[in-house]
């Protein structure tokens, strides 16, 4: 029973047995064919020799016996050669197939133990090599996912620590009498509580977005009205910072099916970021146009810009272009990530372009004209 279980777990033994079965079937076919065809062949050939062997019947019997012996020897030698070939071929095949699979199994066990740096060597360019490449891609994805998970935990802890520390300091100051119990002190505490609430709401929104649980109320929307509504909500902030806001949206654009609230959230995030990273005296331009079967929105600013190395990471969670910027002065760092999921839920695309630091940036996204 133990040997049977070992056989079931060993691919090399299964390959060897399969080759032996092929050899056995070949031998059986050869024997049956020889038994069926040998008498006919002998009768045909000995009919031609009957004239020469008429006076010597013992010689005819000897020839028949020698022929049968030769056939049996041929079958025996062929069987031995087939078994030897099966052994050699099974060893070669086992090394070519079983060894890479065993490497993958050992690497999988190490990955299960938490070591995500494992890679296997690609043995060939066939299906087995494609399997090894897919395995390496899987481990690379798992490694990136684990790294992002650890970064997410660290970033969330940092985002929570700052307002909690401020609230604690304020409360201790009130208890010790260092801070006066005035409305301004309580407003400062309320501001920190609001930051915590916004962070929790953003994390909940991100969780639903990444789980694909975003519900959309798709209705035909007019792009010009949508942009104008968002611009009016942020107009005072632009005026306070002395940043010019320019709108370039034709009024005859076709309507696109969209969730007004969700796309408004995307535009508010893009315009808010453009305002935040554009110095006083700069300009933010919102342009919308129709291209093929989709509406394209573009928010262009004259702000700090983004380097080529940072562009691929700009929509990652908690990623910030300015690492030295105080987190208190920015958002939670996941607004662009949420915006990306919202746009993709509509069937659109979102991307960022920039010529480098100090040369501004442009964030664009699309909405398909048909849902």
């Amino acid at each position: 029973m133990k040997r049977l279980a070992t056989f079931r777990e060993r691919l090399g033994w299964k390959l060897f047995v399969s080759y032996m079965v092929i050899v056995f079937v070949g031998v059986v076919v050869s024997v049956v064919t020889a038994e069926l065809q040998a008498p006919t062949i002998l009768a045909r050939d000995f009919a031609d020799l009957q004239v020469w062997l008429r006076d010597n019947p013992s010689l005819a019997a000897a020839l028949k016996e020698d022929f049968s012996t030769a056939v049996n020897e041929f079958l025996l030698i062929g069987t031995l050669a087939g078994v030897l070939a099966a052994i050699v071929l099974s060893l070669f095949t086992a090394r070519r197939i079983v060894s890479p699979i065993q490497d993958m199994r050992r690497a999988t066990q190490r990955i299960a133990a938490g070591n995500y740096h494992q890679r296997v060597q690609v043995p060939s360019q066939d299906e087995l090599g494609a399997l090894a490449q897919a395995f390496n891609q899987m481990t690379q994805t798992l490694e990136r996912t684990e790294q992002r998970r650890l970064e997410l935990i660290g970033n969330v802890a940092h985002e929570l620590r700052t307002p909690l520390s401020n609230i604690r300091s304020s409360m201790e100051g009130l208890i010790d009498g260092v801070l006066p119990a005035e409305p301004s002190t309580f407003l400062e505490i309320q501001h920190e509580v609001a930051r915590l609430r916004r962070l929790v709401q953003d994390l909940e929104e991100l969780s639903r977005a990444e789980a694909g649980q975003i519900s959309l109320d798709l209705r035909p929307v007019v792009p010009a009205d949508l942009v104008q509504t968002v611009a009016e909500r942020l107009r005072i902030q632009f005026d306070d910072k002395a940043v010019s806001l320019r709108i370039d949206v034709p009024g005859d654009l076709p309507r696109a099916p969209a969730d007004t609230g969700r796309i408004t959230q995307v535009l508010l995030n893009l315009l808010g970021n453009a305002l935040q990273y554009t110095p006083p005296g700069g300009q933010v331009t919102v342009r919308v146009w129709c291209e093929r079967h989709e509406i394209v929105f573009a928010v262009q600013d004259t702000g700090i810009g983004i380097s080529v190395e940072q562009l691929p990471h700009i929509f990652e969670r908690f990623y910030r272009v300015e690492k030295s910027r105080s987190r208190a002065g920015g958002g939670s760092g996941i607004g662009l990530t949420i915006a990306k999921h919202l746009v993709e839920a509509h069937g659109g695309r979102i991307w960022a372009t920039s010529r480098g630091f100090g040369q501004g940036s442009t964030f664009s996204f699309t909405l398909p004209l048909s849902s």
Side-chain angles (χ1 to χ4, degrees), residues 46-63:
F46 277 97
D48 297 335
L49 296 175
Q50 194 67 28
V51 178
W52 307 96
L53 300 176
R54 183 176 303 170
D55 298 333
N56 195 351
S58 61
L59 180 59
L63 287 176

Side-chain angles (χ1 to χ4, degrees), residues 269-285:
N269 183 273
L270 297 183
L271 281 170
N273 286 343
L275 173 63
Q276 178 180 342
Y277 294 109
T278 300
Q283 177 177 287
V284 175
T285 303

